[in-house]
Amino acid sequence: MTIFKEKVSEEFLTVAETKEILEDLEMERAAEEDREMRYELKRAIEHVNRFALLDPEESLQLVEDLEELEKVDTPTAYKIANLRPLDRDELRAVFAQERYTLDGDELDEIINIVKQYA
């Protein structure tokens, strides 16, 4: 017997997309007078309000631009789009668990794409 729940589906989201979803949820909850927002939901809303600097369309375009690169897969593209690293050290941290390393030119190429959206 296991205490873990089965994963039904998985979808990657950027912080900007998450902000949009949470804003809708916040409006729903605000309309109901007797329903209070949970602590976790309040903290999540605070987080996305602080860190979502792009609009959802721009963030998805950034993900698409990153996915065009050879060594950037979909999960990594979303991670980079959410973190928006602006130097090599920050970007290396994103790739720390990968089985490969990127050379300076590849890192700079990714950073240049990210800077276009900064």
Side-chain angles (χ1 to χ4, degrees):
M1 186 167 115
T2 180
I3 59 171
F4 300 109
K5 295 184 179 184
E6 178 183 347
K7 185 188 299 187
V8 176
S9 67
E10 183 176 79
E11 181 181 353
F12 296 106
L13 295 172
T14 62
V15 174
E17 291 175 297
T18 306
K19 179 180 179 180
E20 198 172 67
I21 292 168
L22 289 178
E23 283 175 347
D24 293 341
L25 185 60
E26 185 179 24
M27 294 302 241
E28 251 180 55
R29 297 280 173 101
E32 299 176 25
E33 293 177 15
D34 61 335
R35 193 161 182 190
E36 196 173 308
M37 278 197 299
R38 295 183 59 166
Y39 171 78
E40 294 86 356
L41 179 58
K42 287 180 187 178
R43 296 290 298 171
I45 291 169
E46 287 174 18
H47 179 83
V48 296
N49 285 336
R50 181 177 298 142
F51 294 107
L53 302 176
L54 301 174
D55 63 31
E57 293 80 25
E58 285 179 320
S59 65
L60 288 175
Q61 184 61 47
L62 173 56
V63 169
E64 287 178 22
D65 291 349
L66 291 167
E67 287 178 325
E68 290 176 6
L69 300 175
E70 182 182 337
K71 294 205 175 179
V72 180
D73 59 358
T74 300
T76 306
Y78 276 91
K79 193 181 299 185
I80 292 169
N82 288 333
L83 297 173
R84 293 182 308 127
L86 295 176
D87 64 38
R88 286 182 176 185
D89 291 333
E90 291 175 351
L91 188 54
R92 279 190 189 103
V94 173
F95 287 94
Q97 293 182 345
E98 299 296 331
R99 294 178 183 252
Y100 55 87
T101 58
L102 300 177
D103 64 20
D105 293 336
E106 292 169 324
L107 292 171
D108 290 339
E109 186 177 6
I110 294 170
I111 290 170
N112 289 335
I113 291 172
V114 172
K115 283 183 178 180
Q116 292 175 6
Y117 294 89

